[in-house]
Amino acid sequence: MIFSSNKPKVYFKTFGCRTNIFDTQVMISHIKDFDIASNESEADIVVINSCTVTNSADSSAKNYVNSLKKLPNNPKVFFTGCGVWTKGEGLFNENKIDSLFGHSLKEEINEILKSEQRVFEPGNLEHIDKTIVSEFVGKSRAFIKIQEGCDFRCSYCIIPYVRGDARSYDMKLILEQISTLTQNGFGEFILTGTNIGSYGKKDKNTSLALLLKEIFKIKGVRRVRLGSVEPIQIDDEFKELLNEPQMAKHLHIALQHTSKDMLRIMNRRNKVLDDLALFEYIAEHGYAIGTDFIVGHPGESDELWAEAMQNLQKFPLTHVHAFTYSKRDGTPSSTMKDIVKGDIAKIRYNELTTIIENKNYNFRKNITQPLSVLVEQQKDGIFLGYDQFYNQIKIFSSTDLVGDWVEIRDYEIQRENNVAKF
Protein backbone atom coordinates (compact mmCIF):
# COMPACT_ATOMS: atom_id res chain seq x y z
CA MET A 1 0.00 0.00 0.00
CA ILE A 2 1.31 3.46 -0.91
CA PHE A 3 0.40 6.19 1.58
CA SER A 4 -0.30 9.77 0.60
CA SER A 5 0.23 12.79 2.79
CA ASN A 6 -3.29 12.26 4.07
CA LYS A 7 -3.31 9.46 6.61
CA PRO A 8 -5.37 6.39 5.69
CA LYS A 9 -8.30 5.69 7.98
CA VAL A 10 -8.70 2.51 10.00
CA TYR A 11 -11.90 1.30 11.65
CA PHE A 12 -11.94 -1.20 14.54
CA LYS A 13 -14.81 -3.66 14.86
CA THR A 14 -14.80 -5.48 18.20
CA PHE A 15 -16.74 -8.66 18.88
CA GLY A 16 -17.10 -10.44 22.21
CA CYS A 17 -16.04 -9.71 25.75
CA ARG A 18 -14.52 -6.91 27.80
CA THR A 19 -11.09 -8.42 27.29
CA ASN A 20 -11.49 -7.81 23.57
CA ILE A 21 -12.58 -4.24 24.28
CA PHE A 22 -9.33 -3.68 26.16
CA ASP A 23 -7.30 -5.37 23.41
CA THR A 24 -8.84 -3.00 20.87
CA GLN A 25 -7.80 -0.03 23.00
CA VAL A 26 -4.25 -1.43 23.11
CA MET A 27 -4.22 -1.55 19.32
CA ILE A 28 -5.65 1.96 18.99
CA SER A 29 -2.96 3.30 21.33
CA HIS A 30 -0.28 1.98 18.95
CA ILE A 31 -1.74 3.57 15.82
CA LYS A 32 0.67 6.26 14.57
CA ASP A 33 0.37 6.46 10.79
CA PHE A 34 -3.39 6.22 10.48
CA ASP A 35 -6.48 8.11 11.54
CA ILE A 36 -9.27 6.31 13.39
CA ALA A 37 -12.49 6.09 11.37
CA SER A 38 -15.89 6.29 13.03
CA ASN A 39 -17.51 3.77 10.68
CA GLU A 40 -16.70 1.20 8.02
CA SER A 41 -17.92 3.27 5.09
CA GLU A 42 -15.14 5.87 5.49
CA ALA A 43 -12.35 3.41 6.30
CA ASP A 44 -9.45 2.36 4.11
CA ILE A 45 -8.76 -0.53 6.50
CA VAL A 46 -11.04 -2.46 8.84
CA VAL A 47 -9.52 -4.38 11.76
CA ILE A 48 -11.78 -7.12 13.09
CA ASN A 49 -11.12 -8.15 16.70
CA SER A 50 -12.97 -11.46 16.64
CA CYS A 51 -14.64 -13.69 19.22
CA THR A 52 -14.82 -17.46 18.92
CA VAL A 53 -16.57 -18.53 22.12
CA THR A 54 -19.31 -20.27 20.11
CA ASN A 55 -19.84 -21.40 16.53
CA SER A 56 -22.34 -18.54 16.17
CA ALA A 57 -19.64 -16.06 17.25
CA ASP A 58 -17.52 -17.31 14.36
CA SER A 59 -20.50 -16.91 12.05
CA SER A 60 -21.02 -13.31 13.18
CA ALA A 61 -17.44 -12.43 12.29
CA LYS A 62 -17.66 -14.21 8.93
CA ASN A 63 -20.91 -12.44 8.09
CA TYR A 64 -19.32 -9.12 8.96
CA VAL A 65 -16.35 -9.91 6.70
CA ASN A 66 -18.72 -10.64 3.84
CA SER A 67 -20.61 -7.39 4.41
CA LEU A 68 -17.40 -5.36 4.05
CA LYS A 69 -16.83 -6.61 0.53
CA LYS A 70 -20.10 -4.95 -0.47
CA LEU A 71 -18.92 -1.49 0.58
CA PRO A 72 -18.04 0.92 -2.27
CA ASN A 73 -14.75 1.89 -0.60
CA ASN A 74 -13.67 -1.79 -0.57
CA PRO A 75 -11.53 -1.53 2.60
CA LYS A 76 -8.67 -3.87 3.30
CA VAL A 77 -9.61 -6.34 6.05
CA PHE A 78 -7.25 -7.32 8.87
CA PHE A 79 -8.40 -10.14 11.15
CA THR A 80 -7.28 -10.63 14.76
CA GLY A 81 -8.67 -11.86 18.09
CA CYS A 82 -9.61 -15.34 19.29
CA GLY A 83 -11.00 -16.34 15.89
CA VAL A 84 -7.46 -16.36 14.48
CA TRP A 85 -7.01 -19.84 15.97
CA THR A 86 -10.29 -21.30 14.72
CA LYS A 87 -11.57 -19.75 11.50
CA GLY A 88 -8.81 -17.31 10.61
CA GLU A 89 -6.73 -19.57 8.38
CA GLY A 90 -9.79 -20.58 6.36
CA LEU A 91 -10.80 -16.96 5.82
CA PHE A 92 -7.24 -16.12 4.79
CA ASN A 93 -6.93 -19.02 2.33
CA GLU A 94 -10.32 -18.17 0.80
CA ASN A 95 -9.15 -14.56 0.34
CA LYS A 96 -12.05 -13.35 2.48
CA ILE A 97 -9.56 -11.31 4.50
CA ASP A 98 -6.39 -9.55 3.42
CA SER A 99 -4.25 -10.22 6.47
CA LEU A 100 -4.30 -12.00 9.83
CA PHE A 101 -2.38 -11.46 13.07
CA GLY A 102 -2.75 -12.90 16.56
CA HIS A 103 -3.17 -11.42 20.05
CA SER A 104 0.55 -11.45 20.70
CA LEU A 105 1.19 -9.04 17.81
CA LYS A 106 -1.38 -6.35 18.55
CA GLU A 107 1.28 -3.98 19.90
CA GLU A 108 2.93 -4.15 16.46
CA ILE A 109 -0.26 -3.22 14.63
CA ASN A 110 1.01 0.03 13.12
CA GLU A 111 3.72 -1.77 11.15
CA ILE A 112 1.42 -4.66 10.29
CA LEU A 113 -1.13 -2.30 8.75
CA LYS A 114 1.62 -0.62 6.71
CA SER A 115 2.75 -3.86 5.12
CA GLU A 116 2.34 -3.97 1.38
CA GLN A 117 2.26 -7.77 1.50
CA ARG A 118 -0.43 -10.02 2.92
CA VAL A 119 0.32 -10.82 6.56
CA PHE A 120 -0.28 -14.23 8.16
CA GLU A 121 1.09 -14.15 11.70
CA PRO A 122 -1.04 -16.05 14.27
CA GLY A 123 1.58 -15.35 16.93
CA ASN A 124 1.79 -17.30 20.19
CA LEU A 125 -0.23 -17.96 23.35
CA GLU A 126 2.40 -16.91 25.91
CA HIS A 127 2.50 -13.16 25.29
CA ILE A 128 1.69 -10.50 27.90
CA ASP A 129 1.23 -6.87 26.84
CA LYS A 130 3.30 -4.04 28.25
CA THR A 131 1.19 -1.20 26.86
CA ILE A 132 -0.15 1.61 29.06
CA VAL A 133 -3.53 2.69 27.69
CA SER A 134 -4.11 6.36 28.49
CA GLU A 135 -7.63 6.76 27.09
CA PHE A 136 -10.76 4.76 26.35
CA VAL A 137 -12.53 6.15 23.32
CA GLY A 138 -16.19 6.84 23.99
CA LYS A 139 -16.13 5.32 27.50
CA SER A 140 -16.84 6.73 30.96
CA ARG A 141 -15.44 3.62 32.65
CA ALA A 142 -12.07 2.05 31.96
CA PHE A 143 -11.42 -1.64 31.41
CA ILE A 144 -8.16 -2.91 32.90
CA LYS A 145 -6.85 -6.28 31.77
CA ILE A 146 -4.98 -7.91 34.63
CA GLN A 147 -4.37 -11.39 33.26
CA GLU A 148 -4.64 -13.56 30.19
CA GLY A 149 -5.57 -17.20 29.59
CA CYS A 150 -7.17 -19.93 31.71
CA ASP A 151 -6.02 -23.17 33.33
CA PHE A 152 -9.55 -24.54 33.66
CA ARG A 153 -10.80 -26.99 31.07
CA CYS A 154 -14.58 -26.80 31.21
CA SER A 155 -16.01 -29.23 28.67
CA TYR A 156 -17.91 -26.61 26.64
CA CYS A 157 -15.20 -23.95 26.42
CA ILE A 158 -12.72 -23.27 23.62
CA ILE A 159 -11.16 -20.16 25.19
CA PRO A 160 -8.12 -21.80 26.89
CA TYR A 161 -7.12 -23.15 23.49
CA VAL A 162 -7.21 -19.72 21.83
CA ARG A 163 -6.03 -17.57 24.76
CA GLY A 164 -3.51 -19.97 26.31
CA ASP A 165 -2.85 -20.89 29.94
CA ALA A 166 -3.33 -18.40 32.76
CA ARG A 167 -0.66 -15.74 33.12
CA SER A 168 -0.76 -12.45 35.02
CA TYR A 169 0.20 -8.90 34.18
CA ASP A 170 2.87 -7.26 36.29
CA MET A 171 1.25 -5.46 39.20
CA LYS A 172 3.39 -2.34 38.69
CA LEU A 173 2.13 -2.09 35.11
CA ILE A 174 -1.50 -2.42 36.21
CA LEU A 175 -1.11 0.24 38.90
CA GLU A 176 0.66 2.57 36.46
CA GLN A 177 -2.16 1.98 33.98
CA ILE A 178 -4.82 2.94 36.53
CA SER A 179 -2.84 5.94 37.81
CA THR A 180 -2.53 7.26 34.26
CA LEU A 181 -6.25 6.89 33.65
CA THR A 182 -7.23 8.60 36.92
CA GLN A 183 -5.17 11.58 35.83
CA ASN A 184 -7.21 11.59 32.61
CA GLY A 185 -10.48 11.76 34.51
CA PHE A 186 -11.49 8.11 34.91
CA GLY A 187 -12.82 7.08 38.31
CA GLU A 188 -14.41 3.69 37.72
CA PHE A 189 -12.36 0.67 36.67
CA ILE A 190 -13.44 -2.79 35.59
CA LEU A 191 -10.81 -5.46 36.07
CA THR A 192 -11.02 -7.93 33.24
CA GLY A 193 -9.24 -10.91 31.75
CA THR A 194 -9.91 -14.47 30.69
CA ASN A 195 -10.09 -15.72 34.28
CA ILE A 196 -9.28 -12.87 36.65
CA GLY A 197 -9.61 -14.96 39.81
CA SER A 198 -6.40 -16.70 38.77
CA TYR A 199 -4.47 -13.44 39.01
CA GLY A 200 -1.15 -14.01 40.78
CA LYS A 201 -1.75 -17.72 41.40
CA LYS A 202 1.62 -18.57 39.86
CA ASP A 203 3.41 -15.86 41.84
CA LYS A 204 3.42 -16.28 45.62
CA ASN A 205 4.10 -12.57 46.05
CA THR A 206 0.74 -11.38 44.75
CA SER A 207 -2.95 -12.22 44.42
CA LEU A 208 -6.18 -10.63 43.28
CA ALA A 209 -6.85 -9.41 46.83
CA LEU A 210 -3.40 -7.86 47.15
CA LEU A 211 -3.80 -6.17 43.76
CA LEU A 212 -7.12 -4.67 44.86
CA LYS A 213 -5.57 -3.34 48.07
CA GLU A 214 -2.91 -1.51 46.03
CA ILE A 215 -5.49 -0.16 43.57
CA PHE A 216 -7.55 1.26 46.43
CA LYS A 217 -4.53 3.36 47.46
CA ILE A 218 -4.49 5.24 44.14
CA LYS A 219 -5.90 8.75 44.40
CA GLY A 220 -8.88 9.19 42.11
CA VAL A 221 -10.13 5.59 42.16
CA ARG A 222 -13.78 5.87 43.12
CA ARG A 223 -15.09 2.44 42.23
CA VAL A 224 -13.67 -0.91 41.15
CA ARG A 225 -15.74 -3.59 39.50
CA LEU A 226 -14.57 -7.10 38.77
CA GLY A 227 -15.18 -9.29 35.79
CA SER A 228 -16.28 -12.86 36.31
CA VAL A 229 -14.58 -14.87 39.06
CA GLU A 230 -14.92 -18.54 39.94
CA PRO A 231 -16.47 -19.51 43.30
CA ILE A 232 -13.36 -21.46 44.36
CA GLN A 233 -11.21 -18.37 43.75
CA ILE A 234 -12.89 -16.27 46.46
CA ASP A 235 -10.69 -16.94 49.46
CA ASP A 236 -10.52 -15.47 52.97
CA GLU A 237 -8.08 -12.76 51.84
CA PHE A 238 -10.59 -11.61 49.24
CA LYS A 239 -13.52 -11.73 51.67
CA GLU A 240 -11.70 -9.24 53.90
CA LEU A 241 -12.16 -6.61 51.17
CA LEU A 242 -15.94 -6.83 50.87
CA ASN A 243 -16.50 -3.74 53.03
CA GLU A 244 -13.89 -1.56 51.32
CA PRO A 245 -15.59 1.64 50.09
CA GLN A 246 -14.14 1.49 46.56
CA MET A 247 -15.51 -1.99 45.94
CA ALA A 248 -18.61 -1.94 43.77
CA LYS A 249 -21.39 -3.68 45.68
CA HIS A 250 -21.73 -6.24 42.95
CA LEU A 251 -19.81 -9.40 42.18
CA HIS A 252 -20.17 -11.66 39.16
CA ILE A 253 -19.43 -15.24 40.19
CA ALA A 254 -19.65 -17.92 37.52
CA LEU A 255 -21.82 -20.88 38.51
CA GLN A 256 -22.74 -22.14 35.02
CA HIS A 257 -25.28 -24.52 36.61
CA THR A 258 -26.92 -25.46 39.91
CA SER A 259 -27.25 -29.22 39.36
CA LYS A 260 -24.49 -31.37 40.85
CA ASP A 261 -24.59 -33.82 37.95
CA MET A 262 -24.54 -31.09 35.32
CA LEU A 263 -21.48 -29.51 36.92
CA ARG A 264 -19.76 -32.89 36.64
CA ILE A 265 -20.76 -33.23 32.97
CA MET A 266 -19.43 -29.72 32.31
CA ASN A 267 -16.15 -30.58 34.08
CA ARG A 268 -16.68 -27.69 36.48
CA ARG A 269 -14.77 -27.31 39.76
CA ASN A 270 -17.50 -25.67 41.83
CA LYS A 271 -20.00 -27.50 44.06
CA VAL A 272 -23.62 -26.45 44.61
CA LEU A 273 -23.70 -26.48 48.42
CA ASP A 274 -20.36 -24.67 48.72
CA ASP A 275 -21.56 -22.13 46.15
CA LEU A 276 -24.76 -21.48 48.08
CA ALA A 277 -22.87 -20.89 51.34
CA LEU A 278 -20.51 -18.47 49.58
CA PHE A 279 -23.33 -16.52 47.94
CA GLU A 280 -25.21 -16.20 51.21
CA TYR A 281 -22.07 -14.91 52.92
CA ILE A 282 -21.48 -12.26 50.25
CA ALA A 283 -25.14 -11.23 50.20
CA GLU A 284 -24.98 -10.63 53.95
CA HIS A 285 -22.47 -7.86 53.14
CA GLY A 286 -25.05 -6.05 51.02
CA TYR A 287 -23.87 -7.24 47.61
CA ALA A 288 -25.82 -7.81 44.45
CA ILE A 289 -24.56 -11.01 42.85
CA GLY A 290 -24.61 -12.00 39.21
CA THR A 291 -23.68 -15.26 37.55
CA ASP A 292 -23.23 -17.07 34.24
CA PHE A 293 -25.60 -19.94 33.52
CA ILE A 294 -25.62 -22.29 30.54
CA VAL A 295 -29.03 -23.64 29.54
CA GLY A 296 -29.53 -26.72 27.38
CA HIS A 297 -26.08 -28.27 27.65
CA PRO A 298 -26.01 -31.90 26.46
CA GLY A 299 -27.17 -34.21 29.23
CA GLU A 300 -29.49 -31.64 30.85
CA SER A 301 -32.51 -33.90 31.44
CA ASP A 302 -35.89 -32.73 32.72
CA GLU A 303 -35.01 -34.10 36.14
CA LEU A 304 -31.65 -32.30 36.31
CA TRP A 305 -33.24 -29.06 35.14
CA ALA A 306 -35.95 -29.28 37.82
CA GLU A 307 -33.26 -29.90 40.44
CA ALA A 308 -31.24 -26.94 39.15
CA MET A 309 -34.18 -24.52 39.34
CA GLN A 310 -35.12 -25.74 42.81
CA ASN A 311 -31.56 -25.03 43.93
CA LEU A 312 -31.42 -21.72 42.07
CA GLN A 313 -34.37 -20.37 44.03
CA LYS A 314 -32.23 -20.59 47.18
CA PHE A 315 -29.42 -18.44 45.75
CA PRO A 316 -29.43 -14.67 46.53
CA LEU A 317 -28.88 -13.78 42.88
CA THR A 318 -29.71 -10.44 41.24
CA HIS A 319 -28.20 -10.69 37.74
CA VAL A 320 -27.58 -13.42 35.21
CA HIS A 321 -25.74 -13.83 31.93
CA ALA A 322 -27.83 -16.70 30.61
CA PHE A 323 -26.61 -18.58 27.56
CA THR A 324 -28.46 -21.19 25.56
CA TYR A 325 -25.82 -23.84 24.87
CA SER A 326 -24.19 -23.38 21.50
CA LYS A 327 -21.95 -26.10 20.12
CA ARG A 328 -18.28 -25.16 19.93
CA ASP A 329 -16.33 -27.42 17.61
CA GLY A 330 -13.18 -28.84 19.19
CA THR A 331 -14.57 -29.08 22.74
CA PRO A 332 -15.57 -32.27 24.61
CA SER A 333 -19.17 -31.06 24.86
CA SER A 334 -19.48 -30.90 21.08
CA THR A 335 -19.36 -34.71 20.87
CA MET A 336 -21.71 -35.43 23.78
CA LYS A 337 -25.03 -37.19 23.28
CA ASP A 338 -28.42 -36.41 24.87
CA ILE A 339 -28.81 -33.16 22.96
CA VAL A 340 -31.42 -30.74 24.34
CA LYS A 341 -33.84 -29.57 21.64
CA GLY A 342 -33.89 -25.86 20.88
CA ASP A 343 -37.53 -25.29 21.84
CA ILE A 344 -36.98 -26.93 25.23
CA ALA A 345 -33.82 -24.89 25.81
CA LYS A 346 -35.75 -21.71 25.01
CA ILE A 347 -38.44 -22.54 27.58
CA ARG A 348 -35.79 -23.24 30.19
CA TYR A 349 -33.96 -20.03 29.34
CA ASN A 350 -37.14 -18.00 29.88
CA GLU A 351 -37.82 -19.78 33.17
CA LEU A 352 -34.31 -19.02 34.42
CA THR A 353 -34.29 -15.36 33.42
CA THR A 354 -37.75 -14.79 34.90
CA ILE A 355 -36.57 -16.13 38.25
CA ILE A 356 -33.58 -13.79 38.29
CA GLU A 357 -35.63 -10.79 37.09
CA ASN A 358 -37.95 -11.30 40.06
CA LYS A 359 -35.00 -11.61 42.43
CA ASN A 360 -33.48 -8.40 41.04
CA TYR A 361 -36.76 -6.51 41.40
CA ASN A 362 -37.11 -7.61 45.02
CA PHE A 363 -33.47 -6.71 45.70
CA ARG A 364 -33.96 -3.18 44.36
CA LYS A 365 -37.12 -2.73 46.44
CA ASN A 366 -35.13 -3.46 49.60
CA ILE A 367 -32.27 -1.01 48.98
CA THR A 368 -32.24 1.70 51.66
CA GLN A 369 -29.05 3.62 50.81
CA PRO A 370 -28.58 6.30 48.11
CA LEU A 371 -27.56 5.13 44.66
CA SER A 372 -24.11 6.19 43.47
CA VAL A 373 -24.36 6.45 39.70
CA LEU A 374 -21.77 7.10 37.01
CA VAL A 375 -23.74 8.48 34.07
CA GLU A 376 -22.38 6.88 30.91
CA GLN A 377 -24.53 8.06 28.04
CA GLN A 378 -27.59 9.92 26.84
CA LYS A 379 -30.03 8.03 24.65
CA ASP A 380 -33.30 9.41 23.29
CA GLY A 381 -33.10 12.31 25.74
CA ILE A 382 -32.64 10.02 28.77
CA PHE A 383 -29.40 9.70 30.74
CA LEU A 384 -28.27 6.17 31.53
CA GLY A 385 -25.83 4.87 34.12
CA TYR A 386 -25.19 2.07 36.58
CA ASP A 387 -25.33 2.25 40.36
CA GLN A 388 -23.01 0.50 42.81
CA PHE A 389 -25.15 -2.65 42.54
CA TYR A 390 -24.77 -2.74 38.74
CA ASN A 391 -28.40 -1.88 38.17
CA GLN A 392 -29.10 0.49 35.32
CA ILE A 393 -31.02 3.66 36.10
CA LYS A 394 -32.76 6.05 33.74
CA ILE A 395 -32.37 9.71 34.68
CA PHE A 396 -34.41 12.60 33.34
CA SER A 397 -32.50 15.87 33.62
CA SER A 398 -32.18 19.23 31.86
CA THR A 399 -28.46 19.23 32.71
CA ASP A 400 -25.90 17.29 30.70
CA LEU A 401 -24.86 14.52 33.10
CA VAL A 402 -22.71 12.32 30.84
CA GLY A 403 -19.49 11.44 32.66
CA ASP A 404 -20.74 12.80 36.00
CA TRP A 405 -21.15 10.98 39.28
CA VAL A 406 -24.54 11.63 40.83
CA GLU A 407 -26.16 10.52 44.07
CA ILE A 408 -29.77 9.44 43.66
CA ARG A 409 -32.00 9.31 46.73
CA ASP A 410 -35.46 9.64 45.23
CA TYR A 411 -36.38 7.31 42.39
CA GLU A 412 -39.11 5.03 41.10
CA ILE A 413 -38.53 1.27 41.16
CA GLN A 414 -39.90 -0.24 37.97
CA ARG A 415 -39.75 -3.87 36.85
CA GLU A 416 -36.95 -3.39 34.32
CA ASN A 417 -34.95 -0.64 36.02
CA ASN A 418 -35.02 2.37 38.31
CA VAL A 419 -36.11 5.80 37.06
CA ALA A 420 -35.21 9.19 38.57
CA LYS A 421 -35.40 12.94 37.96
CA PHE A 422 -32.29 14.96 38.72
Side-chain angles (χ1 to χ4, degrees):
M1 179 183 290
I2 299 174
F3 297 112
S4 67
S5 57
N6 295 321
K7 289 184 179 180
K9 294 183 178 181
V10 56
Y11 176 75
F12 286 86
K13 175 67 174 180
T14 305
F15 290 91
C17 64
R18 291 170 173 172
T19 302
N20 267 13
I21 293 173
F22 183 87
D23 288 344
T24 294
Q25 292 297 149
V26 170
M27 288 188 282
I28 290 174
S29 70
H30 283 275
I31 293 295
K32 304 292 187 245
D33 298 308
F34 303 84
D35 289 329
I36 304 301
S38 58
N39 58 67
E40 305 93 331
S41 61
E42 65 178 33
D44 301 292
I45 296 172
V46 173
V47 177
I48 299 172
N49 192 359
S50 63
C51 173
T52 192
V53 68
T54 63
N55 286 355
S56 59
D58 277 339
S59 296
S60 296
K62 289 177 69 175
N63 291 337
Y64 182 73
V65 168
N66 291 333
S67 72
L68 294 175
K69 295 304 180 183
K70 300 175 184 177
L71 294 176
N73 52 322
N74 191 28
K76 281 198 168 185
V77 180
F78 286 69
F79 193 82
T80 188
C82 294
V84 162
W85 294 92
T86 52
K87 299 300 181 184
E89 185 173 2
L91 291 171
F92 185 87
N93 291 337
E94 295 167 9
N95 292 314
K96 295 289 185 69
I97 58 177
D98 296 286
S99 290
L100 171 153
F101 63 98
H103 287 300
S104 60
L105 297 165
K106 57 182 173 287
E107 292 171 298
E108 301 171 31
I109 185 171
N110 194 71
E111 294 306 311
I112 291 173
L113 297 187
K114 288 167 63 177
S115 174
E116 296 183 14
Q117 306 298 321
R118 295 186 75 195
V119 175
F120 185 87
E121 293 287 351
N124 63 69
L125 298 179
E126 293 85 38
H127 180 75
I128 282 287
D129 301 332
K130 294 180 171 60
T131 299
I132 298 295
V133 177
S134 61
E135 192 62 65
F136 276 76
V137 179
K139 301 290 183 182
S140 299
R141 305 175 293 163
F143 299 98
I144 306 296
K145 189 158 76 167
I146 65 171
Q147 66 85 226
E148 182 71 272
C150 181
D151 292 335
F152 289 28
R153 293 298 184 266
C154 302
S155 64
Y156 49 82
C157 187
I158 195 71
I159 297 304
Y161 306 100
V162 298
R163 285 276 183 181
D165 291 334
R167 51 210 190 271
S168 300
Y169 281 60
D170 183 84
M171 184 185 292
K172 291 182 180 179
L173 181 72
I174 296 169
L175 298 178
E176 183 181 352
Q177 171 80 82
I178 294 175
S179 294
T180 298
L181 288 165
T182 58
Q183 294 169 21
N184 289 339
F186 287 87
E188 178 166 316
F189 300 90
I190 300 94
L191 304 189
T192 187
T194 315
N195 183 349
I196 67 168
S198 68
Y199 180 80
K201 293 302 181 184
K202 297 178 181 179
D203 180 354
K204 295 181 179 180
N205 296 318
T206 188
S207 66
L208 179 58
L210 181 58
L211 172 64
L212 285 167
K213 291 176 184 177
E214 294 302 312
I215 291 173
F216 295 157
K217 296 177 183 178
I218 299 175
K219 184 179 180 180
V221 173
R222 297 188 58 161
R223 188 154 69 197
V224 177
R225 297 190 188 277
L226 303 181
S228 181
V229 295
E230 295 288 332
I232 63 171
Q233 295 169 334
I234 299 180
D235 55 18
D236 289 341
E237 185 185 25
F238 184 91
K239 290 176 182 177
E240 293 175 358
L241 302 178
L242 291 177
N243 292 326
E244 290 293 325
Q246 294 104 323
M247 280 281 285
K249 302 296 282 187
H250 168 267
L251 286 175
H252 189 92
I253 307 172
L255 293 175
Q256 304 300 0
H257 218 280
T258 46
S259 160
K260 175 182 177 181
D261 288 341
M262 282 307 304
L263 291 175
R264 175 183 54 78
I265 291 170
M266 292 175 168
N267 198 33
R268 294 282 298 163
R269 301 188 187 186
N270 52 309
K271 298 178 180 179
V272 175
L273 292 180
D274 291 343
D275 295 343
L276 179 58
L278 173 66
F279 278 49
E280 289 175 338
Y281 177 86
I282 293 172
E284 288 172 359
H285 287 74
Y287 275 69
I289 309 175
T291 196
D292 295 320
F293 203 108
I294 298 175
V295 175
H297 187 281
E300 188 184 74
S301 65
D302 290 341
E303 293 76 17
L304 293 184
W305 177 255
E307 173 203 346
M309 290 303 96
Q310 184 177 7
N311 290 336
L312 188 78
Q313 292 283 10
K314 303 173 185 177
F315 278 77
L317 283 161
T318 57
H319 301 73
V320 67
H321 288 167
F323 304 89
T324 301
Y325 172 75
S326 178
K327 181 179 177 181
R328 173 67 268 183
D329 293 339
T331 63
S333 294
S334 67
T335 61
M336 291 181 181
K337 309 299 181 183
D338 300 322
I339 304 299
V340 178
K341 293 182 178 179
D343 56 343
I344 294 175
K346 184 176 181 180
I347 292 171
R348 292 177 180 176
Y349 177 95
N350 291 335
E351 179 183 357
L352 167 70
T353 53
T354 298
I355 289 172
I356 304 302
E357 286 168 2
N358 289 334
K359 286 178 175 287
N360 180 274
Y361 181 55
N362 290 328
F363 177 88
R364 287 185 287 120
K365 288 195 295 184
N366 289 314
I367 294 173
T368 58
Q369 63 195 91
L371 304 181
S372 176
V373 180
L374 172 58
V375 181
E376 297 184 31
Q377 61 175 313
Q378 183 182 23
K379 186 176 181 180
D380 299 326
I382 302 171
F383 294 96
L384 302 173
Y386 286 87
D387 63 24
Q388 64 268 46
F389 305 104
Y390 200 57
N391 289 313
Q392 189 182 69
I393 184 168
K394 294 182 177 179
I395 305 173
F396 293 85
S397 177
S398 58
T399 303
D400 184 0
L401 300 176
V402 174
D404 290 346
W405 291 81
V406 296
E407 186 176 276
I408 305 293
R409 295 179 177 273
D410 186 21
Y411 56 94
E412 180 183 356
I413 304 166
Q414 298 183 355
R415 288 290 303 183
E416 293 187 356
N417 47 32
N418 297 327
V419 179
K421 293 181 179 179
F422 188 85

